[in-house]
Amino acid sequence: MASRKAKKKEGAALRAQRASSNVFSNFEQTQIQEFKEAFTLMDQNRDGFIDKEDLKDIYASLGKTNVKEEELDAMLREASGPINFTMFLNMFGEKLSGTDAEETILNAFKMLDSDGKGSINKDYIRRLLVSQADKMTAEEVDQMFQFSTIDAAGNLDYKALSYVLTHGEAEEGW
């Protein structure tokens, strides 16, 4: 049992390592130190990861012992992988920078995709972005298009773009 648990932690460590280490450049050194202290307080079993047992222990230390499993699972699902310190910083970085969840961005694009094709004509999206609400400049739209998958007909794959906007890089196969 111990070796299976060790292999599970090893695999979790590899997945957590894939989280962007650029997140450190988003914070000042004093902020990183404060986040490290918070992480250490939450990592009750000192294994380098915040897991369900750690969350239960934190709640218990605050006097709340009747936390539902579903609530704990929902908290853990907010991370895209195991919660090591880098992932912890990524999660705070996303919250502090105001990045919308991938589903929110997808739903916004879907409102513009009346055919449900998963793509929107790039000229149409350009017109909207430079003329509506929080207007973008032509340069900002061009920059967005650099990270977009656009087919020969000029249609932008908004699912792939939503992924890039929230995860920072294209998923394999796009």
Side-chain angles (χ1 to χ4, degrees):
M1 167 120 175
S3 66
R4 186 170 40 155
K5 189 172 183 176
K7 286 181 182 180
K8 183 180 175 185
K9 285 288 185 191
E10 208 172 278
L14 290 173
R15 284 190 304 277
Q17 259 182 346
R18 291 184 200 130
S20 171
S21 60
N22 280 348
V23 71
F24 290 95
S25 64
N26 295 334
F27 298 103
E28 295 177 14
Q29 191 60 40
T30 55
Q31 291 175 305
I32 293 172
Q33 185 58 40
E34 289 170 2
F35 283 126
K36 184 66 175 174
E37 289 172 22
F39 180 85
T40 302
L41 287 172
M42 295 179 80
D43 182 18
Q44 296 283 301
N45 61 9
R46 304 290 185 253
D47 66 353
F49 295 89
I50 297 174
D51 56 22
K52 191 184 293 190
E53 291 305 314
D54 291 324
L55 294 176
K56 284 181 186 176
D57 291 344
I58 287 293
Y59 273 110
S61 73
L62 297 171
K64 187 170 182 182
T65 55
N66 59 345
V67 182
K68 295 178 182 164
E69 292 289 319
E70 300 84 43
E71 290 179 59
L72 298 172
D73 290 336
M75 287 180 204
L76 293 171
R77 279 195 305 272
E78 287 188 33
S80 60
I83 305 173
N84 66 0
F85 182 63
T86 303
M87 179 63 69
F88 186 75
L89 271 183
N90 271 318
M91 293 170 73
F92 272 97
E94 289 171 5
K95 297 290 183 195
L96 294 173
S97 71
T99 301
D100 288 321
E102 184 175 2
E103 184 179 348
T104 303
I105 295 169
L106 268 173
N107 287 336
F109 278 122
K110 283 178 184 176
M111 291 175 61
L112 304 172
D113 181 14
S114 57
D115 300 331
K117 300 181 300 184
S119 63
I120 302 170
N121 181 274
K122 76 172 192 165
D123 295 329
Y124 172 65
I125 195 74
R126 176 186 294 279
R127 278 193 308 275
L128 288 175
L129 292 174
V130 298
S131 66
Q132 305 292 319
D134 290 334
K135 298 175 187 168
M136 294 175 73
T137 66
E139 292 80 22
E140 289 170 328
V141 175
D142 289 340
Q143 185 178 23
M144 180 188 77
F145 286 162
Q146 288 177 2
F147 299 100
S148 304
T149 303
I150 300 172
D151 67 16
N155 295 312
L156 178 140
D157 178 347
Y158 63 80
K159 291 177 183 176
L161 179 59
S162 297
Y163 186 90
V164 170
L165 290 172
T166 56
H167 299 286
E169 57 188 51
E171 195 169 48
E172 287 183 31
W174 277 332

